[in-house]
Amino acid sequence: MDTRRLDAQLAFLTEADRLKSVTRASTLTDQSRAENTAEHSWQAALAALIFLPGLAPDRLDRILAMLLLHDLVEIDAGDQPIDLPHDADALARAEQAAAARLFALLPGDQGAEFHTLWSEFEANRTADARLAKSIDYAVPVIQVWAASPRRADHEKVARDNCATGRARLIEQTLPDLFSHLASELAGADPVVAARAAFVAEADRLKTITRATTLCDGSRFENSAEHSWHLALYALTLAEHAPAGVAPFRVIRMLLLHDLVEIDAGDAPIYAQTAASQAAMADLEEAAAARLFGLLPADQGADLNALWHEFEEAETPDARFAKALDRFQPPMQNIASDSVSWRSNNVTYQMVDARVGAAVRRSLPDLWAHVAPRIAALLD
């Protein structure tokens, strides 16, 4: 294993955590707060998975990668609300500079690959970029019409966006979806309506708080931004996967894996007992049936099966996904000087038994690389 290369990848993933602190103009559908750009990026990638099921897998893979990466530049450049005047040239320069800095944190070949994907998305000229942009534009409109209560100012922005704004692109790429958005989610196509309802319901994952803090220790992360970060982990660390693993299939799993927490809540790993695990499994099973049941039957069944595969952790893809799910919280704790571990009296032996075992099963070299840093923190 090239440890310098791995350290560069981990530094990039730690820096990416800052996207969770960038506030957008969009609000959650329950109107409890403004959303952040990391959880938006998760919802956009999830929406691509939901609205583009018939796309060739290699094309969907590229679109998912674009959407996982597309707003990273907001770490430096910030979010620009579409309805407010701004200097477009200055914003473009700021985003280009941010892309150059962020992707330079990675090993050279990988940084160039990610930068090229981001640039393709920004240029909006290829068919894949136009579909990715269309999904990115559709999600905030879905949020506006699904909000309870609705906000008149957001409704005006959504109507203007569909009438004369950038959302007009969706009419060219996904006309059935555009018709549904322009009708304020009252369209007649039951398949599109079911998919939009699922994406709107998924918004609730942003309100589920986890036991792990952001890398800066400023607050606890939520399960939606965690899911985005994990998918980015899978994209970035794919080269470390065991033979036979399909990285983009893993990304699909990770976009879905915590949706059941909308109904079942989060269960901190260090507080679990055999009885609580069994009770949680029942809650999650019911949640999966309800949530995936919102989708058209065939699509819902396929995604429910993918979620079950992740939970059972018996296939190479699922084991790699589980390993990443266990690996990300220790990286957050290393960055935050173990804030959440110390608040829960977690010992190295607990981390090694409950986290290390799952990581070693699929990523033994990565665990060997970070375990000494964890031990030093918890000694």
Side-chain angles (χ1 to χ4, degrees), residues 171-333:
E171 188 174 24
Q172 302 170 26
T173 57
L174 297 166
D176 291 342
L177 175 57
F178 179 80
S179 177
H180 193 60
L181 298 177
S183 70
E184 303 185 14
L185 306 190
D189 188 323
V191 171
V192 175
R195 289 171 176 162
F198 178 86
V199 170
E201 181 70 358
D203 195 83
R204 293 175 57 200
L205 195 63
K206 301 169 188 175
T207 68
I208 305 300
T209 302
R210 291 168 44 82
T212 306
T213 68
L214 304 193
C215 287
D216 66 7
S218 60
R219 64 168 173 84
F220 292 101
E221 71 175 351
N222 67 64
S223 293
E225 61 197 358
H226 162 73
S227 297
W228 164 76
H229 208 183
L230 271 185
L232 187 65
Y233 264 69
L235 183 67
T236 304
L237 300 178
E239 66 193 58
H240 303 284
V245 168
F248 278 95
R249 194 162 181 275
V250 171
I251 286 172
R252 288 161 171 76
M253 284 184 185
L254 293 172
L255 292 173
L256 300 170
H257 82 290
D258 270 348
L259 278 170
V260 294
E261 293 184 5
I262 289 171
D263 292 354
D266 177 61
I269 189 171
Y270 300 108
Q272 292 177 11
T273 64
S276 68
Q277 284 179 318
M280 180 58 73
D282 290 341
L283 289 173
E284 291 181 344
E285 188 72 33
R290 182 186 77 81
L291 289 161
F292 296 121
L294 297 174
L295 289 164
D298 289 349
Q299 185 177 25
D302 287 345
L303 296 183
N304 198 341
L306 192 63
W307 176 81
H308 275 91
E309 182 182 341
F310 170 83
E311 286 297 302
E312 291 158 7
E314 294 300 330
T315 66
D317 289 348
R319 287 196 295 269
F320 183 58
K322 279 283 188 181
L324 293 174
D325 192 27
R326 293 290 187 265
F327 185 70
Q328 185 252 10
M331 296 308 301
Q332 305 284 104
N333 271 280

Side-chain angles (χ1 to χ4, degrees), residues 341-364:
W341 279 340
R342 294 184 189 281
S343 66
N344 288 283
N345 298 313
V346 173
T347 66
Y348 175 75
Q349 289 72 26
M350 293 166 65
V351 176
D352 188 61
R354 302 189 189 189
V355 174
V359 178
R360 280 193 296 268
R361 188 180 183 190
S362 194
L363 294 166

Side-chain angles (χ1 to χ4, degrees), residues 11-23:
F12 169 78
L13 290 166
T14 297
E15 181 71 359
D17 188 79
R18 293 177 55 201
L19 197 64
K20 301 170 188 174
S21 298
V22 178
T23 302

